[in-house]
Amino acid sequence: MSLTGKQAAKKRFMDFLGTRNLRLTSQRQAIIDTVFNTDKHFTAEQLLEWSRERDQSVSRATVYRTLPLLTESGLVREMDFGKDYKFYDPNYADHPNHNHIICQDCDKIVEFESDKIAKIEERISHKLGFTVKTQRLQITATCEELKRMGTCKKKAC
Ligand SMILES: [Zn+2]
Ligand SMILES: [Zn+2]
């Protein structure tokens, strides 16, 4: 997502908080700044770690209270890859239809978009009498390192 896209998304989230009469504490500000300054997918624990680099006082509780607000606002999407933890994606505001491939070991995530896949999904839906509203494809796979070494040294989380 472009930087201006991120800034726009951040502003929309601030407006969303305003409609909920939620106070913008410095902890929450640090979390929001973190989320809207990355295009990486993150877990709650990663968000906590990154936010603490901005503001040491950010607590785990505030991160866990802020995440549902982010997903409710529609600007951050929760993703379940069948792991013990969820991932959060800050890139949907600009790219609502992108897909993901994830390494089953190190959790490396790569995004991709494909007109071909979109067309196939449209064709199938049409055949079944449906109209596509949203689509997302999640592929769990083995990354290059996992294939070569049998394990990934660097876990993304
Ligand atoms: Zn993504
Ligand atoms: Zn891997």
Side-chain angles (χ1 to χ4, degrees), residues 67-130:
L67 275 170
L69 294 168
L70 285 159
T71 54
E72 246 179 79
S73 74
L75 295 163
V76 172
R77 202 75 72 83
E78 187 181 84
M79 299 195 302
D80 190 343
F81 286 103
K83 307 228 174 198
D84 295 342
Y85 36 84
K86 302 277 180 17
F87 288 86
Y88 296 88
D89 188 338
N91 302 334
Y92 273 105
D94 255 16
H95 298 278
N97 289 319
H98 70 264
N99 304 297
H100 298 97
I101 188 159
I102 184 171
C103 173
Q104 62 182 21
D105 190 25
C106 67
D107 291 346
K108 176 181 175 177
I109 295 174
V110 177
E111 296 186 340
F112 64 96
E113 281 182 88
S114 163
D115 288 346
K116 267 190 202 144
I117 292 172
K119 284 215 178 75
I120 290 168
E121 287 175 338
E122 254 162 56
R123 211 181 305 143
I124 293 169
S125 305
H126 183 74
K127 225 166 138 181
L128 298 172
F130 288 79

Side-chain angles (χ1 to χ4, degrees), residues 7 9-10 12 24 30 33 42 48 55 62-63 68 72 83 85 88 100 104 111 116 127 136 141 154-155:
Q7 289 316 309
K10 182 169 154 183
R12 279 167 61 196
L24 194 61
D33 287 344
F42 53 83
L48 174 64
D55 181 345
T62 307
V63 167
E72 246 179 79
K83 307 228 174 198
Y85 36 84
Y88 296 88
H100 298 97
Q104 62 182 21
E111 296 186 340
K116 267 190 202 144
K127 225 166 138 181
R136 72 182 97 168
K154 196 179 155 292
K155 310 280 182 210

